[in-house]
Amino acid sequence: MGYYKEFKQSLHDKYDGPAKIAVGEYLGARGYFCTFPETKSNKKADISVLRPQEHEVQVSIHWKEDEFPYPEIHVYERKKHLLETKNPLWIWVLNTARTKAYVIDKKLLTKEKLKPVFSAYLTEERGKDTYENRYCIPKEEATLINLKEANK
């Protein structure tokens, strides 16, 4: 059985706001009017646009350079409640510099792509090898966007 990594407020505070702004600027440059709903429940996506669609944003803290270091992009199973929306939903996975992002259509997050993945964080916290369920999306199935170029 997979486990959930404990929410880290310090990582959220460091990456969440700037990542949302980077994606919001990208969408805004393409004519989308974006809002950033303030929600404590974490049951809604990070960005809403006037068109009926939603965008979830996360940062891969291991993606520090231009090139994504892994063959697959991981989206945490704990975000599966977002898949219940009737609207189109895209998951944005940004590098720590917020200059590049992989965009994943929610349709790619299927049960077949859900796998237990070794979690260094959980292993450290629990003192034994621990795995967390994640949707594992081959990076070739996602769309790579250069946010730095796109926002000019």
Side-chain angles (χ1 to χ4, degrees):
M1 179 174 146
Y3 295 91
Y4 285 172
K5 176 175 76 91
E6 181 182 333
F7 177 78
K8 300 283 188 195
Q9 187 68 47
S10 61
L11 289 175
H12 179 270
D13 293 346
K14 182 175 181 177
Y15 293 113
D16 192 61
K20 289 178 191 177
I21 290 168
V23 173
E25 287 175 351
Y26 175 86
L27 293 170
R30 278 144 189 79
Y32 294 95
F33 178 77
C34 300
T35 61
F36 304 85
E38 287 297 322
T39 175
K40 303 239 184 237
S41 70
N42 200 25
K43 297 291 183 196
K44 293 189 176 188
D46 294 323
I47 300 172
S48 293
V49 295
L50 283 182
R51 297 180 185 178
Q53 57 183 254
E54 300 176 45
H55 302 265
E56 176 64 9
V57 179
Q58 67 182 48
V59 174
S60 174
I61 61 171
H62 299 290
W63 185 11
K64 299 184 186 315
E65 305 297 325
D66 276 348
E67 191 66 32
F68 189 72
Y70 305 109
E72 295 179 325
I73 304 158
H74 293 164
V75 177
Y76 296 104
E77 179 190 32
R78 65 178 177 258
K79 296 192 179 211
K80 71 180 176 183
H81 66 278
L82 297 173
L83 302 178
E84 296 170 9
T85 180
K86 294 177 183 171
N87 296 330
L89 170 72
W90 287 273
I91 293 88
W92 295 69
V93 180
L94 283 69
N95 64 357
T96 56
R98 299 171 312 280
T99 57
K100 293 204 173 177
Y102 275 103
V103 182
I104 301 165
D105 187 320
K106 78 173 183 180
K107 295 174 189 169
L108 294 175
L109 304 182
T110 62
K111 289 180 184 178
E112 296 76 32
K113 297 218 173 133
L114 196 58
K115 302 176 192 172
V117 176
F118 177 78
S119 172
Y121 287 115
L122 288 173
T123 295
E124 185 177 319
E125 288 176 3
R126 297 174 53 87
K128 62 180 182 177
D129 285 357
T130 306
Y131 295 81
E132 180 176 21
N133 286 335
R134 300 177 190 175
Y135 296 97
C136 299
I137 310 300
K139 63 183 180 182
E140 296 80 18
E141 293 182 21
T143 301
L144 178 62
I145 294 177
N146 185 336
L147 292 169
K148 190 174 179 180
E149 292 297 317
N151 289 333
K152 286 186 178 179

